[in-house]
Amino acid sequence: MALTATAQVDVTGTKVDVTVMQQWMHRNSPRPLRSSGTSTATDTLKAFVRVSDVQTVADSIHAWGGTANIITDSLLTMRLPITALQRLTALPEVTYVEGSRRRRMRMDKARSTTGVERLHLGENLETPFTGKGVMVAVIDKGFEYQHPAFKSNGQSRVVKVWNHLKSNTPYTYIPAGHDNAEDSGGHATHVTGIAAGSKLPGTPYHGMAPEADIVMVVSDFSSTSVVDELKWVSDLAKSRGQAVAVNMSFGTYIHSYDATDNASTAIQALSRPGFLMAAAMGNEHGLNLHASRTLDTAGTSLYLVMDNVDEYNYGIIWGMATDGAKHLKFTPYIYNATKKQMQTLTTAQWNKCAEMGEGILPENGKQYYQLAIDLGELHSALRDYTSDLYMAVKVEALTDNATFHAWMDPYDAGFIAIDNYGIAGDNEYVICDMANIPDIMGVGASVNHTSWKQYATGTSYGNSSLQAGTLADFSSRGPGMTDMPKPTVVTPGHNIVSAFNRYADVEDSGSLNIGGVFVVAGVNQQGEAVSYSNASETTDDFYGIMSGTSMATPALTGIMALWLQANPELSAEQVREIIRTTAVRDSQTGGKQGDWTKGWGYGKIDAYAGLKKALEMGAADGIAPMISDLTPVTLLKQEDAWRILFNVPTTRAEVTLTSLSGTVISRTSLDHMQAGHETTVSLTDLPQGMYIITVSTPHSRLSRKVMR
């Protein structure tokens, strides 16, 4: 396999992919490529291993000083001293080794100026469904473990913490402080608060499942780590006898796009009833991260040029043929815009600034070319600090009708046409890898409210050009290239208020600046509101605004926890059906219910309608009653009516509407109501005032005051 121009390394034949070869090549000369699509550690190899005898290979890895985690009967993840790579690939039971790829958090568009308080779906929902008895697991980094948002009556709701950055084993206690991931901006704390933040007397910013058990997993986001973490969460839930909803607000655009890579297939294999997953679509709709062409005739070629707005560029090019043959030739170049010419580099120069290579992925038979370049190191390698330099790849057809798709995973860049070189990129087929996996719900973001008040001064901020309920301009539209188009659904994600990590500033690493414009509330350790004049960064905690599909995803995760409370054996297929048949289609989304459209998926989430459907599915499937001891009905107040949803079957029920003086205004008798059945009490013809609605069954009686 060719790497970095003409360098050749004969260690593994055809058994390894590019990322493994890159580590072998650079094991004695590490270079700091930042958060790339590849791992650049030179002492320990993290990888997936495809095998014919999983136990034999696992035993060998352990004997050579590594660790192995069996995922399926033909796939394991491993950490292995890279010096043992040759012995590993020499095993006849090993068929392929795929290196671990790195992802990053998807909240890069955070801190736009809209939003007062987080839209809590079900705000008018008087419901017993709070996630009680269900587990919400968040894989992320930037946790403040003891934030009041994760406590109830002073007791932590966190049942388990695994800081995978520090240890291969979970903690046996819930630690104080934070996970030391200051570069995260407190991402995990905010995300967890949205999914499962507690109802506190001092703040309205509770999460979707405020009584769920919380599991915190601190991750480096590499693909092998994430698979190991998901398996651990699945095993933990089984051991505790709990259903679980997992949140993954991270991803990369460097992946297979047809979900055939080892990470995708391993995660898909973990999917089961009662184990639901949600992932962020990504925030790069405004960038031209994708490019594609069909080269009609052998010998024709073109250049792909990567914009140099960001110092680090990562890209992958996939041929679309699935026959295991090479139909394309890839040649790396540097475009010098100052001199207006393409130039080649020596092997030594490439090795100083870039990692690249190509192969055929055995799982799909497709040809690929992957690269990562540090533009700062490029200038150093060329000893040219004044020219305007761009990474470029010449793509040449070896056969007729050779089609390719290419993607980048930058911070602000994309494919560009410059000085008659390159082709303009577009934003088609842009989706993060985790959201692309079939049984993971891919989540896009809509705009929430459009103004808020800063905690420190009470000053109002906002953006009048935004309209609540519209699709966020940053939300990646998809659809991916699997049979399961993404996003699945859209939830509020643009300027969401949730818990802040006081150990990590939301703008820069370091301690939180409570006078910052995006901090909107303070709370003490008792969960009581604290005025700014009395607030302390060392003893109090805070709430504030972030935006991104990272913030939209935990909204769905928390809602899925509510649905699991109603029906603990829900599968991913059933959740998709719930969303497809209940998501809201309106003038902003267009389309009709049941339609899938780019960007919107099946529409806007409707937690109540989804809950009703989950109850109906449970009744139809003969699922045991809900996880916890619930009241018999769920009440949803709307402008002109109350909707009454029956949580459990009952032989008869009576619904009565009375005035405060006790005068009966209406009485309705119902027979043989099943879980998921609903009745409505109209308020249309009533004068304004206070009323009482009462629901009586043979075993219970529930009354609520109604303001008209």
Tab-separated table of all heavy atoms in Angstrom, residues 588-625:
chain	number	residue	atom	x	y	z
A	588	GLN	N	-43.654	25.499	8.064
A	588	GLN	CA	-42.202	25.659	8.055
A	588	GLN	C	-41.496	24.429	7.497
A	588	GLN	O	-40.488	24.550	6.795
A	588	GLN	CB	-41.698	25.965	9.463
A	588	GLN	CG	-42.162	27.321	9.980
A	588	GLN	CD	-41.803	27.536	11.434
A	588	GLN	OE1	-41.860	26.605	12.243
A	588	GLN	NE2	-41.435	28.755	11.781
A	589	THR	N	-42.008	23.256	7.784
A	589	THR	CA	-41.374	22.032	7.294
A	589	THR	C	-41.806	21.694	5.880
A	589	THR	O	-41.049	21.104	5.111
A	589	THR	CB	-41.720	20.837	8.191
A	589	THR	OG1	-43.123	20.551	8.086
A	589	THR	CG2	-41.366	21.116	9.638
A	590	GLY	N	-43.060	22.048	5.538
A	590	GLY	CA	-43.633	21.598	4.285
A	590	GLY	C	-43.876	20.094	4.320
A	590	GLY	O	-43.577	19.417	5.307
A	591	GLY	N	-44.431	19.575	3.233
A	591	GLY	CA	-44.676	18.143	3.153
A	591	GLY	C	-45.854	17.713	4.003
A	591	GLY	O	-46.487	18.515	4.697
A	592	LYS	N	-46.159	16.432	3.956
A	592	LYS	CA	-47.252	15.887	4.746
A	592	LYS	C	-46.720	14.819	5.684
A	592	LYS	O	-45.620	14.286	5.484
A	592	LYS	CB	-48.346	15.315	3.846
A	592	LYS	CG	-47.941	14.151	2.964
A	592	LYS	CD	-49.120	13.683	2.113
A	592	LYS	CE	-48.772	12.444	1.290
A	592	LYS	NZ	-47.729	12.695	0.292
A	593	GLN	N	-47.496	14.502	6.708
A	593	GLN	CA	-47.039	13.545	7.715
A	593	GLN	C	-46.702	12.205	7.073
A	593	GLN	O	-47.436	11.689	6.238
A	593	GLN	CB	-48.097	13.355	8.791
A	593	GLN	CG	-47.543	12.650	10.024
A	593	GLN	CD	-48.472	12.789	11.209
A	593	GLN	OE1	-49.516	12.159	11.240
A	593	GLN	NE2	-48.080	13.596	12.189
A	594	GLY	N	-45.576	11.663	7.496
A	594	GLY	CA	-45.093	10.418	6.917
A	594	GLY	C	-44.055	10.627	5.846
A	594	GLY	O	-43.322	9.691	5.499
A	595	ASP	N	-43.963	11.859	5.308
A	595	ASP	CA	-42.944	12.160	4.310
A	595	ASP	C	-41.587	12.339	4.981
A	595	ASP	O	-41.490	12.818	6.117
A	595	ASP	CB	-43.274	13.460	3.574
A	595	ASP	CG	-44.410	13.307	2.582
A	595	ASP	OD1	-44.790	12.162	2.298
A	595	ASP	OD2	-44.913	14.338	2.094
A	596	TRP	N	-40.536	11.968	4.267
A	596	TRP	CA	-39.184	12.333	4.674
A	596	TRP	C	-38.681	13.388	3.707
A	596	TRP	O	-38.818	13.242	2.487
A	596	TRP	CB	-38.242	11.136	4.630
A	596	TRP	CG	-36.859	11.498	5.126
A	596	TRP	CD1	-36.385	11.362	6.387
A	596	TRP	CD2	-35.792	12.087	4.361
A	596	TRP	NE1	-35.089	11.828	6.480
A	596	TRP	CE2	-34.704	12.281	5.246
A	596	TRP	CE3	-35.652	12.489	3.035
A	596	TRP	CZ2	-33.502	12.845	4.835
A	596	TRP	CZ3	-34.451	13.056	2.623
A	596	TRP	CH2	-33.388	13.219	3.511
A	597	THR	N	-38.131	14.470	4.235
A	597	THR	CA	-37.555	15.504	3.385
A	597	THR	C	-36.169	15.867	3.899
A	597	THR	O	-35.887	15.798	5.102
A	597	THR	CB	-38.424	16.766	3.342
A	597	THR	OG1	-38.672	17.227	4.676
A	597	THR	CG2	-39.749	16.496	2.644
A	598	LYS	N	-35.313	16.260	2.993
A	598	LYS	CA	-33.943	16.616	3.334
A	598	LYS	C	-33.932	17.744	4.357
A	598	LYS	O	-34.670	18.725	4.227
A	598	LYS	CB	-33.197	17.038	2.067
A	598	LYS	CG	-31.737	17.357	2.280
A	598	LYS	CD	-31.103	17.756	0.968
A	598	LYS	CE	-29.663	18.188	1.163
A	598	LYS	NZ	-29.048	18.644	-0.105
A	599	GLY	N	-33.108	17.610	5.365
A	599	GLY	CA	-32.992	18.636	6.394
A	599	GLY	C	-33.961	18.447	7.535
A	599	GLY	O	-33.573	18.463	8.701
A	600	TRP	N	-35.249	18.230	7.227
A	600	TRP	CA	-36.283	18.082	8.247
A	600	TRP	C	-36.507	16.632	8.664
A	600	TRP	O	-37.129	16.379	9.692
A	600	TRP	CB	-37.617	18.652	7.751
A	600	TRP	CG	-37.695	20.141	7.799
A	600	TRP	CD1	-37.669	20.999	6.727
A	600	TRP	CD2	-37.811	20.963	8.959
A	600	TRP	NE1	-37.762	22.294	7.162
A	600	TRP	CE2	-37.861	22.313	8.530
A	600	TRP	CE3	-37.881	20.700	10.331
A	600	TRP	CZ2	-37.962	23.377	9.414
A	600	TRP	CZ3	-37.992	21.769	11.214
A	600	TRP	CH2	-38.036	23.088	10.763
A	601	GLY	N	-36.034	15.671	7.883
A	601	GLY	CA	-36.361	14.286	8.194
A	601	GLY	C	-37.867	14.085	8.118
A	601	GLY	O	-38.518	14.499	7.153
A	602	TYR	N	-38.433	13.477	9.175
A	602	TYR	CA	-39.884	13.277	9.207
A	602	TYR	C	-40.615	14.452	9.835
A	602	TYR	O	-41.837	14.408	9.965
A	602	TYR	CB	-40.212	11.982	9.961
A	602	TYR	CG	-39.806	10.749	9.190
A	602	TYR	CD1	-38.781	9.929	9.644
A	602	TYR	CD2	-40.422	10.417	7.988
A	602	TYR	CE1	-38.392	8.800	8.934
A	602	TYR	CE2	-40.045	9.304	7.266
A	602	TYR	CZ	-39.028	8.499	7.742
A	602	TYR	OH	-38.644	7.387	7.018
A	603	GLY	N	-39.878	15.492	10.232
A	603	GLY	CA	-40.525	16.683	10.770
A	603	GLY	C	-40.035	17.035	12.158
A	603	GLY	O	-38.954	16.625	12.590
A	604	LYS	N	-40.849	17.814	12.872
A	604	LYS	CA	-40.525	18.271	14.224
A	604	LYS	C	-41.055	17.265	15.248
A	604	LYS	O	-42.175	16.768	15.128
A	604	LYS	CB	-41.163	19.636	14.491
A	604	LYS	CG	-40.728	20.735	13.541
A	604	LYS	CD	-41.509	22.019	13.806
A	604	LYS	CE	-41.146	23.111	12.826
A	604	LYS	NZ	-41.949	24.342	13.056
A	605	ILE	N	-40.268	17.018	16.267
A	605	ILE	CA	-40.651	16.035	17.277
A	605	ILE	C	-41.949	16.437	17.979
A	605	ILE	O	-42.195	17.614	18.231
A	605	ILE	CB	-39.517	15.856	18.312
A	605	ILE	CG1	-39.751	14.622	19.173
A	605	ILE	CG2	-39.352	17.109	19.164
A	605	ILE	CD1	-39.610	13.332	18.463
A	606	ASP	N	-42.785	15.472	18.276
A	606	ASP	CA	-44.000	15.668	19.076
A	606	ASP	C	-43.963	14.618	20.186
A	606	ASP	O	-44.301	13.459	19.977
A	606	ASP	CB	-45.249	15.499	18.212
A	606	ASP	CG	-46.541	15.844	18.952
A	606	ASP	OD1	-46.591	15.668	20.191
A	606	ASP	OD2	-47.501	16.296	18.299
A	607	ALA	N	-43.514	15.046	21.362
A	607	ALA	CA	-43.303	14.099	22.469
A	607	ALA	C	-44.611	13.453	22.906
A	607	ALA	O	-44.646	12.254	23.198
A	607	ALA	CB	-42.652	14.818	23.650
A	608	TYR	N	-45.685	14.233	22.968
A	608	TYR	CA	-46.957	13.700	23.445
A	608	TYR	C	-47.529	12.679	22.463
A	608	TYR	O	-47.938	11.579	22.856
A	608	TYR	CB	-47.954	14.835	23.659
A	608	TYR	CG	-49.337	14.373	24.052
A	608	TYR	CD1	-49.634	14.107	25.385
A	608	TYR	CD2	-50.332	14.189	23.107
A	608	TYR	CE1	-50.897	13.681	25.757
A	608	TYR	CE2	-51.587	13.755	23.467
A	608	TYR	CZ	-51.872	13.504	24.788
A	608	TYR	OH	-53.129	13.070	25.146
A	609	ALA	N	-47.571	13.045	21.183
A	609	ALA	CA	-48.101	12.103	20.188
A	609	ALA	C	-47.248	10.842	20.136
A	609	ALA	O	-47.760	9.732	19.964
A	609	ALA	CB	-48.160	12.772	18.818
A	610	GLY	N	-45.937	11.001	20.314
A	610	GLY	CA	-45.063	9.839	20.340
A	610	GLY	C	-45.316	8.965	21.551
A	610	GLY	O	-45.262	7.728	21.463
A	611	LEU	N	-45.587	9.591	22.701
A	611	LEU	CA	-45.906	8.832	23.910
A	611	LEU	C	-47.174	8.002	23.704
A	611	LEU	O	-47.238	6.828	24.090
A	611	LEU	CB	-46.087	9.788	25.083
A	611	LEU	CG	-46.524	9.177	26.409
A	611	LEU	CD1	-45.483	8.206	26.932
A	611	LEU	CD2	-46.793	10.280	27.432
A	612	LYS	N	-48.143	8.619	23.095
A	612	LYS	CA	-49.399	7.906	22.807
A	612	LYS	C	-49.132	6.685	21.927
A	612	LYS	O	-49.629	5.584	22.194
A	612	LYS	CB	-50.369	8.859	22.120
A	612	LYS	CG	-51.694	8.233	21.721
A	612	LYS	CD	-52.584	9.266	21.033
A	612	LYS	CE	-53.881	8.633	20.552
A	612	LYS	NZ	-54.740	9.607	19.835
A	613	LYS	N	-48.319	6.869	20.913
A	613	LYS	CA	-48.003	5.767	20.005
A	613	LYS	C	-47.215	4.677	20.727
A	613	LYS	O	-47.445	3.472	20.512
A	613	LYS	CB	-47.197	6.303	18.824
A	613	LYS	CG	-46.948	5.294	17.727
A	613	LYS	CD	-48.191	5.076	16.882
A	613	LYS	CE	-47.882	4.206	15.680
A	613	LYS	NZ	-49.083	3.927	14.863
A	614	ALA	N	-46.279	5.073	21.608
A	614	ALA	CA	-45.497	4.085	22.361
A	614	ALA	C	-46.394	3.247	23.253
A	614	ALA	O	-46.210	2.029	23.382
A	614	ALA	CB	-44.429	4.793	23.189
A	615	LEU	N	-47.387	3.885	23.885
A	615	LEU	CA	-48.340	3.147	24.717
A	615	LEU	C	-49.156	2.171	23.880
A	615	LEU	O	-49.387	1.031	24.277
A	615	LEU	CB	-49.260	4.123	25.449
A	615	LEU	CG	-48.648	4.892	26.617
A	615	LEU	CD1	-49.537	6.060	27.014
A	615	LEU	CD2	-48.418	3.969	27.803
A	616	GLU	N	-49.598	2.637	22.722
A	616	GLU	CA	-50.376	1.772	21.835
A	616	GLU	C	-49.556	0.564	21.390
A	616	GLU	O	-50.055	-0.561	21.344
A	616	GLU	CB	-50.848	2.563	20.619
A	616	GLU	CG	-51.906	3.624	20.941
A	616	GLU	CD	-52.237	4.482	19.728
A	616	GLU	OE1	-51.484	4.423	18.739
A	616	GLU	OE2	-53.224	5.217	19.786
A	617	MET	N	-48.288	0.800	21.069
A	617	MET	CA	-47.425	-0.306	20.643
A	617	MET	C	-47.237	-1.312	21.770
A	617	MET	O	-47.241	-2.529	21.549
A	617	MET	CB	-46.062	0.237	20.195
A	617	MET	CG	-46.064	0.911	18.854
A	617	MET	SD	-44.402	1.537	18.438
A	617	MET	CE	-44.642	1.982	16.707
A	618	GLY	N	-47.079	-0.823	22.984
A	618	GLY	CA	-46.919	-1.713	24.124
A	618	GLY	C	-48.135	-2.578	24.337
A	618	GLY	O	-48.030	-3.786	24.608
A	619	ALA	N	-49.303	-1.975	24.212
A	619	ALA	CA	-50.542	-2.731	24.387
A	619	ALA	C	-50.699	-3.785	23.296
A	619	ALA	O	-51.078	-4.926	23.554
A	619	ALA	CB	-51.728	-1.777	24.383
A	620	ALA	N	-50.354	-3.387	22.044
A	620	ALA	CA	-50.504	-4.317	20.924
A	620	ALA	C	-49.528	-5.478	21.012
A	620	ALA	O	-49.836	-6.602	20.615
A	620	ALA	CB	-50.309	-3.561	19.605
A	621	ASP	N	-48.337	-5.204	21.563
A	621	ASP	CA	-47.306	-6.238	21.634
A	621	ASP	C	-47.373	-7.058	22.913
A	621	ASP	O	-46.568	-7.965	23.127
A	621	ASP	CB	-45.911	-5.600	21.535
A	621	ASP	CG	-45.673	-4.974	20.169
A	621	ASP	OD1	-46.415	-5.316	19.235
A	621	ASP	OD2	-44.759	-4.148	20.056
A	622	GLY	N	-48.310	-6.711	23.795
A	622	GLY	CA	-48.414	-7.425	25.055
A	622	GLY	C	-47.278	-7.123	26.009
A	622	GLY	O	-46.938	-7.920	26.877
A	623	ILE	N	-46.669	-5.926	25.859
A	623	ILE	CA	-45.563	-5.534	26.730
A	623	ILE	C	-46.082	-5.336	28.149
A	623	ILE	O	-47.185	-4.847	28.374
A	623	ILE	CB	-44.910	-4.239	26.210
A	623	ILE	CG1	-44.349	-4.464	24.801
A	623	ILE	CG2	-43.818	-3.749	27.142
A	623	ILE	CD1	-43.248	-5.481	24.730
A	624	ALA	N	-45.268	-5.679	29.131
A	624	ALA	CA	-45.637	-5.474	30.532
A	624	ALA	C	-45.884	-3.999	30.800
A	624	ALA	O	-45.437	-3.136	30.042
A	624	ALA	CB	-44.526	-5.996	31.437
A	625	PRO	N	-46.602	-3.665	31.869
A	625	PRO	CA	-46.885	-2.266	32.185
A	625	PRO	C	-45.616	-1.440	32.299
A	625	PRO	O	-44.501	-1.955	32.381
A	625	PRO	CB	-47.611	-2.353	33.532
A	625	PRO	CG	-48.193	-3.714	33.563
A	625	PRO	CD	-47.231	-4.587	32.823
